[in-house]
Amino acid sequence: MDEMEEELKCPVCGSFFREPIILPCSHNICLACARNILVQTPDAESPQSSRASGSGVSDYDYLDLDKMSLYSEADSGYGSYGGFVSAPTTPCQKSPNGVRVFPPTVPPPPQAQHHLLPHTGVLPPVPRNSCLTCPQCHRSLTLDDRGLRGFPKNRVLEGVVDRYQQSKAAALKCQLCEKSPREATVMCEQCDVFYCDPCRLRCHPPRGPLAKHRLVPPAQGRISRRTSPRKISTCTEHELENLSMYCVQCKTPVCYQCLEDGKHSTHEVKALGAMWKLHKGQLSQALNVLSDRATEAKEFLVQLRNMVQHIQENGVEFEACLVAQCDALIEALNRRKAQLLSRVTKEHEHKLSVVRDQISHCTVKLRQTTGLMEYCLEVIKENDPSGFLQISDALIRRVHMTENQWGKGSLTPRMSSDFDLTLDSGPLLQTIHQLDFVQMKVPAAPILQLEECCTQTNSATLSWKQPPLSTIAVDGYILELDDGNGGQFREVYVGTEMICTVDGLHFNSTYKSRVKAFNSSGVGQYSKTLVMQTSEIAWFTFDPASAHPDIILSNDNLTVTCNSYDDRVVMGNTGFSRGVHYWEMTIDRYDNHPDPAFGIARVDVMKDVMLGKDDKAWAMYVDNNRSWFMHNNSHTNRTDGGISKGATVGVLLDFSRGILLFLINDEQQGPVAFNTLEGMYYPAISLNRNVQVTLHSGLPIPDFYTPGESEAAGSVC
């Protein structure tokens, strides 16, 4: 009931409707609010406003729509036919509930500033040339001499508001409690009584006739009660006449006098009660549909609320995962940092070791050199020539050797003080900047589009799509079918397309199909399994694509002949590998006793020789007197009986027994021609220009033949 409250409030004042009136746009407004938002227009813009106001302050019940404008082509508002014309656009303000309203552009006369005339209790007359703008759709109209009384009063809305306010006024009490009535919990619509739970169990048990009564919540029961008897409305044009009929053309209630001398005399009318019931039924039907939509909306809201919870849970989980991944990266970076620092430390220690060794070596050598120099200076000071000459040569050699030792790069540092290591952090920084989320989930299960999936003869077309809310990347799809006999699934298509036609299936077989998607992260789940049934009858025609160039086809590829004197081969467009199949060919033309051959062949049979000459065909060739069976150029089982114009040659292929036999004019020709047949075979024929035949496929098996046990259950095509 609380949801309905907004429907019961005026769009101008924001309060519950008081004396609501119905505007031509079907919106409602309080009568007092309508007076407050009136706008007075100049006389020149409203020629009809000069008419005298003859209605005064008389009461009114219904609006005569014939005297009102329904639509104005000038301003897309309500206007100039009847008593209302278009009004200029005026500045707008906001009502208490946020709806735009259009106040008067000039101060209203003093009497218009009060809702009621003094001492009368009625509304004052509306100023002439007044314009009213709907606060909801903003369409404007100018009032005629009847003023606001030209609008019908919405008695139904007024009654609903009264009942709603009464239901909110006080708590509903049980009507059967003797002392201190408890609060009511239900109301019986049939008994029209409010019950508390103890009184309901005691006085209204759910059994017997009472089991069929409908119990509703107290608030719903209260608002459905009538608070006053139904009022009888009178005609706006004829105030003494009650409204008893309904004008179908004008869609308004009318009285008998309106039908006799009014503008409705030529209109189609119906009884008011009948139309009341009819419109109630239409509204009930519309409400049923709307109720279904509301139920769907409630379920959808539950789904959205569940999604909110799931999003929150998934968000927390994803954030924790992201933090863990980043922490792992930081930890890996710290480990690498420690490794690099260890290398720097080793390099530092190595440089110090080399330099210190060089310092120690140079120090020792410099000490030796200094000692030698001091010794030589002391020798030079001696005055003994012979003694000096005895050691001078050796000293000179030692000085030169020592000097040479210092000159061989010994005064160059063995190690640079600079560190030649440069950290290459650019790629890592670039990688960090490029660090982003990638799709690492497998795709969701595709959805088979049943309206586009179908079978035709022995072909099946399947179509699918991704779930509408799925954002996971898909690299391709895998379509699988079983063998049509409940066996294992096998892949029949892998690719990016979302529609696929599979040819060469078995006739009269039930296939199961499913599809799944894949991407770089893996393969997703399968879709729902779709069961498809191929055609029961093996209809086929001759195949122009596989025919020898000398073959001539006509009659929608059912009639064949040849333009060569040599035998040429043509095959059917459908292959068989299971079931029992029977087809016939009628001899349309037969000249000069040729030898046409009828039978089956592999797809790679030779096309420029008689059927049966190679090991890819099994055939019966026949002339006007006799026939032979032939395979791999081996002729067997000569049998009397030939063909002529109008004759019929039948071919029966039974995979349940692996045999092939022939008929001429509905009689079996010779014994079983071939057996142990397995694999895929196509109907075939060879002929020359002296023969023309017509194919008849999809025929029932001849009565004399009994199929194998595996085919007797109804899988025969």
Side-chain angles (χ1 to χ4, degrees):
M1 300 300 295
D2 293 336
E3 290 83 353
M4 186 181 68
E5 187 168 314
E6 291 301 321
E7 294 285 339
L8 308 181
K9 290 184 177 180
C10 175
V12 177
C13 64
S15 302
F16 287 108
F17 282 106
R18 296 186 61 186
E19 298 184 281
I21 59 176
I22 307 174
L23 301 181
C25 55
S26 300
H27 294 132
N28 299 281
I29 189 174
C30 295
L31 183 60
C33 295
R35 174 169 291 277
N36 289 338
I37 64 174
L38 284 175
V39 178
Q40 192 168 359
T41 60
D43 291 342
E45 296 185 11
S46 182
Q48 297 186 12
S49 64
S50 61
R51 295 182 300 179
S53 176
S55 54
V57 294
S58 61
D59 293 334
Y60 53 87
D61 291 317
Y62 290 94
L63 170 66
D64 185 353
L65 293 179
D66 290 317
K67 295 185 177 181
M68 300 193 66
S69 164
L70 295 180
Y71 184 74
S72 169
E73 296 180 355
D75 64 352
S76 298
Y78 289 87
S80 63
Y81 109 66
F84 304 92
V85 296
S86 302
T89 304
T90 58
C92 66
Q93 298 178 354
K94 287 283 185 74
S95 69
N97 60 347
V99 179
R100 292 193 300 169
V101 297
F102 296 80
T105 56
V106 296
Q111 67 272 19
Q113 298 178 7
H114 304 282
H115 294 301
L116 301 177
L117 286 176
H119 310 298
T120 62
V122 297
L123 287 171
V126 175
R128 298 173 60 185
N129 306 328
S130 296
C131 174
L132 178 65
T133 301
C134 175
Q136 290 185 277
C137 64
H138 313 302
R139 293 181 177 177
S140 59
L141 53 96
T142 300
L143 279 65
D144 65 359
D145 52 1
R146 293 179 297 171
L148 293 176
R149 294 169 185 81
F151 299 107
K153 189 174 182 180
N154 196 335
R155 300 183 186 278
V156 175
L157 176 57
E158 189 174 15
V160 173
V161 171
D162 291 341
R163 294 196 297 272
Y164 182 80
Q165 290 178 324
Q166 291 176 12
S167 67
K168 291 292 184 178
L172 299 172
K173 300 296 183 180
C174 176
Q175 294 176 287
L176 298 183
C177 289
E178 297 179 357
K179 296 180 181 180
S180 301
R182 302 181 183 88
E183 185 174 348
T185 57
V186 295
M187 176 202 171
C188 177
E189 290 187 337
Q190 285 70 29
C191 301
D192 198 19
V193 175
F194 291 94
Y195 297 93
C196 63
D197 286 336
C199 292
R200 176 179 58 83
L201 295 175
R202 184 178 68 253
C203 304
H204 201 289
R207 58 179 180 270
L210 298 178
K212 298 181 180 179
H213 288 198
R214 184 168 181 261
L215 302 179
V216 297
Q220 182 178 346
R222 182 63 177 270
I223 202 168
S224 64
R225 279 185 164 187
R226 287 188 175 274
T227 59
S228 61
R230 189 175 58 186
K231 297 180 180 179
I232 300 177
S233 302
T234 57
C235 180
T236 306
E237 298 292 332
H238 313 97
E239 296 181 359
L240 300 180
E241 295 290 337
N242 295 332
L243 297 172
S244 58
M245 303 297 290
Y246 181 83
C247 178
V248 178
Q249 181 174 344
C250 300
K251 297 183 178 179
T252 182
V254 295
C255 66
Y256 279 109
Q257 193 170 347
C258 290
L259 301 179
E260 292 179 358
D261 54 8
K263 62 179 67 178
H264 305 281
S265 58
T266 59
H267 295 175
E268 179 186 1
V269 295
K270 293 185 178 181
L272 190 65
M275 293 302 296
W276 177 42
K277 293 180 180 179
L278 175 62
H279 282 209
K280 273 195 171 184
Q282 293 176 351
L283 180 59
S284 298
Q285 293 179 358
L287 283 176
N288 289 335
V289 178
L290 184 60
S291 176
D292 295 338
R293 296 296 177 268
T295 302
E296 294 175 0
K298 290 179 181 178
E299 295 174 352
F300 181 63
L301 284 175
V302 172
Q303 179 183 354
L304 291 180
R305 292 189 181 99
N306 293 335
M307 286 184 62
V308 170
Q309 181 179 356
H310 293 160
I311 289 174
Q312 291 175 343
E313 295 174 354
N314 293 339
V316 172
E317 180 181 354
F318 191 78
E319 288 177 3
C321 180
L322 177 62
V323 171
Q325 289 178 319
C326 291
D327 290 344
L329 293 176
I330 294 173
E331 184 180 354
L333 184 61
N334 287 331
R335 288 196 301 268
R336 188 58 179 168
K337 174 184 173 182
Q339 294 173 358
L340 294 176
L341 287 175
S342 176
R343 288 182 57 185
V344 172
T345 301
K346 290 180 180 179
E347 182 70 13
H348 171 260
E349 293 176 351
H350 174 68
K351 285 181 176 290
L352 290 178
S353 175
V354 172
V355 172
R356 286 170 179 169
D357 289 345
Q358 191 173 12
I359 290 173
S360 176
H361 178 73
C362 288
T363 301
V364 172
K365 190 174 180 181
L366 179 60
R367 184 181 300 112
Q368 293 174 352
T369 301
T370 303
L372 178 61
M373 291 173 58
E374 292 178 351
Y375 174 70
C376 291
L377 289 175
E378 292 297 326
V379 170
I380 292 175
K381 293 179 181 179
E382 291 294 329
N383 295 324
D384 183 3
S386 60
F388 177 81
L389 292 175
Q390 287 178 345
I391 62 173
S392 61
D393 291 336
L395 288 176
I396 292 172
R397 287 195 300 272
R398 286 186 61 191
V399 169
H400 284 298
M401 289 178 58
T402 303
E403 189 272 334
N404 290 335
Q405 290 177 353
W406 285 109
K408 295 181 180 179
S410 58
L411 297 180
T412 302
R414 298 177 184 175
M415 183 64 65
S416 172
S417 61
D418 297 330
F419 284 80
D420 295 332
L421 301 176
T422 301
L423 183 62
D424 187 12
S425 61
L428 179 58
L429 290 175
Q430 183 178 2
T431 302
I432 292 176
H433 292 153
Q434 294 177 348
L435 187 63
D436 201 350
F437 300 105
V438 295
Q439 191 58 257
M440 296 299 293
K441 294 183 178 180
V442 297
I447 299 175
L448 288 170
Q449 302 191 85
L450 302 181
E451 64 277 4
E452 298 183 14
C453 298
C454 62
T455 58
Q456 185 176 8
T457 62
N458 65 332
S459 299
T461 298
L462 296 104
S463 176
W464 58 89
K465 63 180 181 180
Q466 278 297 103
L469 298 180
S470 176
T471 58
I472 302 175
V474 175
D475 294 339
Y477 301 92
I478 300 175
L479 176 63
E480 296 182 356
L481 267 71
D482 68 353
D483 60 357
N485 196 27
Q488 297 293 325
F489 282 90
R490 67 188 190 281
E491 294 183 2
V492 296
Y493 170 76
V494 177
T496 59
E497 298 295 332
M498 290 188 287
I499 186 170
C500 177
T501 298
V502 184
D503 298 320
L505 302 178
H506 299 300
F507 285 91
N508 194 29
S509 299
T510 301
Y511 284 89
K512 295 179 181 179
S513 58
R514 62 187 184 185
V515 63
K516 59 184 177 181
F518 64 88
N519 59 15
S520 57
S521 299
V523 180
Q525 296 293 322
Y526 284 105
S527 66
K528 293 183 178 179
T529 301
L530 178 63
V531 179
M532 309 182 74
Q533 175 73 38
T534 55
S535 175
E536 295 182 2
I537 303 299
W539 300 98
F540 64 91
T541 64
F542 290 119
D543 184 15
S546 65
H548 190 277
D550 293 338
I551 291 292
I552 301 174
L553 296 172
S554 59
N555 188 24
D556 294 330
N557 297 330
L558 293 175
T559 300
V560 59
T561 186
C562 182
N563 60 10
S564 172
Y565 285 106
D566 297 323
D567 290 307
R568 300 293 184 246
V569 173
V570 59
M571 296 192 300
N573 61 358
T574 298
F576 304 118
S577 60
R578 192 175 66 189
V580 181
H581 309 276
Y582 178 70
W583 62 95
E584 292 180 347
M585 282 159 285
T586 302
I587 309 300
D588 301 328
R589 179 167 52 83
Y590 187 76
D591 302 329
N592 300 325
H593 311 299
D595 299 327
F598 308 89
I600 58 176
R602 302 287 192 187
V603 68
D604 54 348
V605 66
M606 297 175 61
K607 307 292 177 55
D608 54 356
V609 296
M610 178 183 288
L611 192 68
K613 285 285 187 179
D614 61 358
D615 61 348
K616 307 298 185 194
W618 294 256
M620 175 189 74
Y621 71 93
V622 58
D623 58 17
N624 61 328
N625 292 319
R626 51 198 173 274
S627 65
W628 293 263
F629 302 146
M630 183 166 62
H631 169 64
N632 199 17
N633 204 25
S634 173
H635 306 254
T636 60
N637 296 99
R638 171 179 170 177
T639 305
D640 293 335
I643 60 173
S644 61
K645 180 179 178 180
T648 299
V649 177
V651 181
L652 194 152
L653 176 61
D654 184 355
F655 283 99
S656 64
R657 296 177 177 175
I659 63 173
L660 177 69
L661 55 87
F662 297 93
L663 293 83
I664 295 181
N665 295 329
D666 299 327
E667 297 290 336
Q668 182 172 340
Q669 183 74 1
V672 172
F674 304 100
N675 50 33
T676 66
L677 297 175
E678 294 181 351
M680 179 70 70
Y681 300 92
Y682 290 82
I685 180 177
S686 66
L687 43 70
N688 61 19
R689 65 182 303 165
N690 295 317
V691 182
Q692 176 176 302
V693 302
T694 297
L695 172 66
H696 306 278
S697 63
L699 301 179
I701 299 173
D703 294 337
F704 74 88
Y705 185 77
T706 301
E709 294 182 358
S710 62
E711 303 299 333
S715 61
V716 177
C717 301

